[in-house]
Amino acid sequence: MRLRKLVAAAVPLPALLGLAVAVPAAAASEPLVTLADSAAPLVNSDRTGDVAGAQQITAALSLKLHNQQALEKFLADVQNPASPQYHHFLTPAQFNAEFGPTQADVDKAVSFLGKAGATGIEVSGNRQAVTFSGSAAQLEAAFHTRIGTYHDKSSGRNFFANDAAPTVSADVSGVVANVVGLDNHAVRTHSAKAAQPNVVKSVTPPILKTAYGTSGLSATGSGVKVGFVEFDGYKKADVTKYDSTYGLSAGTVTTVPVSGANYDSAPGDGQIEVELDIEVVHALAAAANDYVYEAPNSSAGELAMYQKIASDHTVNVVSISWGACESAEGSSAANSVSNAIATGTAEGISYFAAAGDDGTTDCYRQTGSTAKAVDFPASSPNVTGVGGTQLTVTSSNAYSSEKAWNDGASNGSTGGGISTVFTAPSWQSAQSTTKRKVPDVSADAASGSGYYIYTAGAWETVWGTSGAAPLWAAFATLQNQVHGGGLGNLNPKFYSIGNGSSYGTGFHDVTTGNNTLHGTTGFTAGTGYDQVTGWGSFKGSGLSGLIG
């Protein structure tokens, strides 16, 4: 299963009865601009009161990139073999100079926050995000909106949120794209599950290497650095136990705290996800060095982590198993994080994200909604969204077959569908869509063929697309070693192969099964691309020969 990032529902301090927080009007000479994308997701929610004015809230400003059209052209050219820009990735300094906010932009944003009384102001290394804290009263005054307490009628969660879209002066709106964190409605969880009775055959490193054909690559991940997006911690002893059991010669595992977060001394419920991610990458690419980014479980923490990954430019590949359905994530957070990912992509980083475990109803476990929805960040155009399959192998561990993973409501089904936030990138045009479709690819994720890992001091069989995503990240890690450097967004290559004559050489086409779940009709797997398993799973040696 796929672990989703859970933003714990803060229980707001009770508002004093009869006390209203005044929201000052702007001076008549100061025109205000509405930041429409930063409106809170308040569908099916009741306002229950006012947040206490003294309550502290941590939020972030996402600053506007420059030369957006030129950036989109660069991202296309850098993955086009016919372009002189092909695989000429940028350094962070080069990206900042060409596309990033200027220091003057940052100064303007910081000055605005300082006048509002914000504290703990922290600017990301690439100047794209400014994290800050302030009281609810200060933020209400700064952004000209009340912040209330709400009750989500579907999920039963209590949360706080801005009542209206925030507004800022025209001067500030010239540099600020979005405000992230005025609400804590988003539920980003992990969904890894363990120890169910219907396991047919758990997968181990020898099975995965043989079935997916990576044994003949003569690559171990050596010299490559892998990043992990996490909102919980892990125990190195568990990872070491997994490695030693299977004779894996592993690289280093380093925790990278973001905004002061480090959960390793006392991991929570997400420990199973973090250790699943690391160990699945080790199954194929153990020699890589791992960097586990751990951030506060909030919208501001999420943005800070993705910006740090891009500005550090330490890792070559990123595995993501935490997320939220798009409507819960909200446009401001989704677009802000997507910009950070685009930055990393321009620098040659490859991102792989779990497509979710609720079929076409990705919001189900977060809000109870059975409406069609897809998972973010898998839906970001610069991320490879990874769906799930049921893997069957022979007695000698060779590949036998795969079908779409659908274990029903109790255990889940591979996510897939159509984004409501992002337009279809050019490389997806052959799939007849105006909006981004997911997933792009897939791999083993079913409970019947779950991943056998060591977590929290015990062996467990764990499943979900949160196992499929790090498996594809592991394959990309091997490709970084084979091809001698970063590969960036691999989706254009995957779709080119899928639409060409070499499709069967690089992919196992998964043609059976569906992702209908929770009473909502989903999609059916078929020949070629589909919104159940994408292009299918990788044929290790075959796909490696087509990437370059």
Side-chain angles (χ1 to χ4, degrees), residues 124-217:
S124 65
N126 56 15
R127 302 194 295 257
Q128 291 184 30
V130 185
T131 304
F132 62 93
S133 296
S135 69
Q138 289 171 326
L139 300 190
E140 286 178 325
F143 296 105
H144 308 281
T145 176
R146 291 176 184 267
I147 300 177
T149 58
Y150 286 83
H151 178 76
D152 189 309
K153 292 185 287 187
S154 296
S155 67
R157 291 183 63 248
N158 296 317
F159 64 98
F160 66 80
N162 47 303
D163 294 351
T167 60
V168 293
S169 68
D171 189 41
V172 173
S173 74
V175 300
V176 173
N178 294 297
V179 184
V180 174
L182 293 184
D183 73 89
N184 69 341
H185 173 268
V187 177
R188 305 170 186 90
T189 63
H190 67 77
S191 54
K193 297 181 182 178
Q196 294 294 318
N198 58 342
V199 175
V200 177
K201 185 173 186 177
S202 299
V203 295
T204 60
I207 293 175
L208 292 169
K209 290 177 181 177
T210 302
Y212 285 119
T214 64
S215 298
L217 290 179

